Amino acid sequence: MNLADKKNLLESVDARTKLAGSNQMEILLFSLGTRETFGINVFKVREVGRTPHITRTPNMPRGVEGLISLRGNVIPVLSLSSFLQLDGEAPAIGKSMMVAEYSRRTLGFLVDEVDRIIRVDWEKVKAPESVLVANQGLISAVIELEGGHLVSILDVEQILANAFGEAVVVDIAPASVEEDTTVFFADDSIVARKKIAEVLDKLGVKHKHATNGAEALSRLQAIAAHCQQIHKSVRDEIRLILVDAEMPEMDGYVLTKNIKADPRFDGVPVVMHSSLSSEANRAMGKAVGVDAYVGKFDAEILADTLRPLVER
C-alpha cells in the first residue's frame, strides 16, 4: 500500500459517525511482521505513514523507541511488537507508523505494514479464549473473518499501562449518597475496570460490572425485571450506568440505545467513558442519548462527572 492509498484510507472519517447505534465498527488491519493480523478502531487513528526518524532518548520505558516531532508536537513512539509474544521474529522497528489518539494523548505506534479497513458487526467481535493466554490482557477481542482468518484487537490501554504505568487515582472526595447507592459499569479492559472501581470506591458508592455490552444489557434487564416484581424503581437499585464505547458483542452506543428505549430505566443517567475522545465520538454518544461523555482516563474528571449524577 503506497502513501497515497494510506492517505485515502483515512479520509471521510466524519461519515463514520453514522455507525453510531448500528453495532458496527471499522477496523484498520495491520501486521507486525508475522503471519498474525491485528486491528485497531479506525476512530483512534489520525494518520498512517512511513516510519520517520526517531530520536532516541535515555531512560525510555521498554517498548518506547523514542520521540518524534509531529506538526510542532513531540510525541512518544511505541513498537507494538515489543509488547506481544509473537510467533517468529518480528522486526525491531516497524516500517509503518500509525498516529493514534488515546485518552487525550497522541502517540505513534510502529507496525510492519498497514493493510486495509474492514467493517464488522460488534456481535462478531468475541472475547479472547484461554488459548490466547500468552498475550492475555493485551488482546481485548478476536474477530473471525470469512475463511476462518482471525484478527486480534489490541487492548491499547493495557499496552500503555505496561509502558508508562497505570494512572494514579488521587484523593477523591466522597459523594453525599446513601449507603446502598450503586453504579453499574461495563468495560472490556481489565485496566479500565480496575481504575473505575477505584474511583467508585473513593466516591463511596457500591458497584457492579459487566465485561461487554451484551452481558451488561442482559444483567441490566434482569435487574429491571426483578425491580418490577418487587414494585421497586430501577433507579433505587442502580443510580447510574457507566459504559465504554468499544466492547465485544455489543458496543456502548447500542447498549445506550437499548437502555434509553426501555422506560424502566427512566431517570437513570448513562455516562459514556471512552478512550475515543474526539468530537466525532462525543457527537456519536449524544446521538444515542448519553447524559455525559468522559474521556479516559482522568480519575478526577470522572469523579467530578459522576458525583452530581449519583447525588441527585
Side-chain angles (χ1 to χ4, degrees):
M1 181 181 294
N2 59 41
L3 291 178
D5 290 335
K6 289 178 179 177
K7 182 178 179 181
N8 292 336
L9 195 68
L10 299 174
E11 290 181 347
S12 304
V13 170
D14 286 345
R16 295 192 174 100
T17 59
K18 295 178 181 178
L19 291 178
S22 68
N23 209 36
Q24 292 182 318
M25 71 168 173
E26 290 186 332
I27 296 293
L28 178 60
L29 303 181
F30 61 90
S31 68
L32 296 176
T34 66
R35 295 180 180 179
E36 298 171 81
T37 301
F38 297 91
I40 185 173
N41 192 319
V42 165
F43 267 121
K44 295 180 178 178
V45 181
R46 287 174 43 177
E47 58 185 270
V48 176
R50 304 303 294 177
T51 298
H53 172 73
I54 300 171
T55 301
R56 298 183 181 276
T57 56
N59 302 319
M60 278 289 180
R62 182 185 70 84
V64 181
E65 297 296 330
L67 304 171
I68 64 168
S69 177
L70 183 70
R71 282 178 277 286
N73 296 314
V74 176
I75 67 171
V77 177
L78 289 74
S79 175
L80 290 181
S81 63
S82 66
F83 292 93
L84 298 165
Q85 298 179 33
L86 300 172
D87 295 329
E89 186 175 347
I93 298 292
K95 294 180 292 186
S96 300
M97 183 180 74
M98 302 183 301
V99 178
E101 183 178 339
Y102 276 83
S103 305
R104 304 181 305 282
R105 177 164 42 174
T106 302
L107 309 110
F109 294 127
L110 298 182
V111 302
D112 185 61
E113 190 62 57
V114 174
D115 185 4
R116 66 190 191 277
I117 288 174
I118 61 170
R119 182 174 292 188
V120 297
D121 295 328
W122 269 112
E123 61 188 21
K124 295 181 179 178
V125 182
K126 305 298 182 182
E129 300 290 343
S130 57
V131 293
L132 299 172
V133 69
N135 287 314
Q136 199 71 30
L138 296 182
I139 295 174
S140 62
V142 176
I143 304 169
E144 184 173 356
L145 304 180
E146 291 184 10
H149 189 70
L150 297 179
V151 175
S152 298
I153 306 300
L154 296 182
D155 185 346
V156 179
E157 292 167 8
Q158 181 66 62
I159 290 174
L160 294 181
N162 289 357
F164 301 111
E166 295 183 9
V168 177
V169 177
V170 296
D171 290 336
I172 292 172
S176 299
V177 294
E178 297 175 0
E179 186 179 352
D180 61 349
T181 299
T182 302
V183 166
F184 187 98
F185 68 89
D187 202 300
D188 63 318
S189 169
I190 297 172
V191 171
R193 291 198 300 270
K194 178 181 176 182
K195 292 303 174 185
I196 291 168
E198 286 185 44
V199 170
L200 295 175
D201 287 342
K202 288 181 178 292
L203 283 173
V205 299
K206 296 181 178 179
H207 47 85
K208 302 176 180 179
H209 76 269
T211 59
N212 63 62
E215 178 193 347
L217 183 60
S218 177
R219 293 192 62 189
L220 287 168
Q221 288 177 333
I223 290 171
H226 175 69
C227 288
Q228 274 188 317
Q229 289 180 342
I230 62 175
H231 305 290
K232 182 179 181 181
S233 170
V234 173
R235 179 166 165 73
D236 293 332
E237 185 74 16
I238 300 293
R239 185 65 58 87
L240 179 145
I241 300 169
L242 183 68
V243 302
D244 186 19
E246 297 179 285
M247 292 182 287
E249 300 187 36
M250 178 183 291
D251 67 19
Y253 301 108
V254 173
L255 174 59
T256 299
K257 282 185 69 174
N258 278 283
I259 293 169
K260 291 297 184 179
D262 190 332
R264 295 177 298 180
F265 292 96
D266 286 350
V268 180
V270 178
V271 176
M272 185 163 283
H273 183 228
S274 174
S275 58
L276 296 167
S277 53
S278 71
E279 287 305 314
N281 295 108
R282 292 177 184 274
M284 290 169 66
K286 185 177 180 180
V288 296
V290 299
D291 296 278
Y293 193 108
V294 185
K296 290 180 179 176
F297 182 82
D298 187 307
E300 287 185 279
I301 293 177
L302 178 60
D304 288 345
T305 302
L306 300 182
R307 187 180 289 104
L309 294 174
V310 297
E311 289 180 342
R312 286 182 183 174

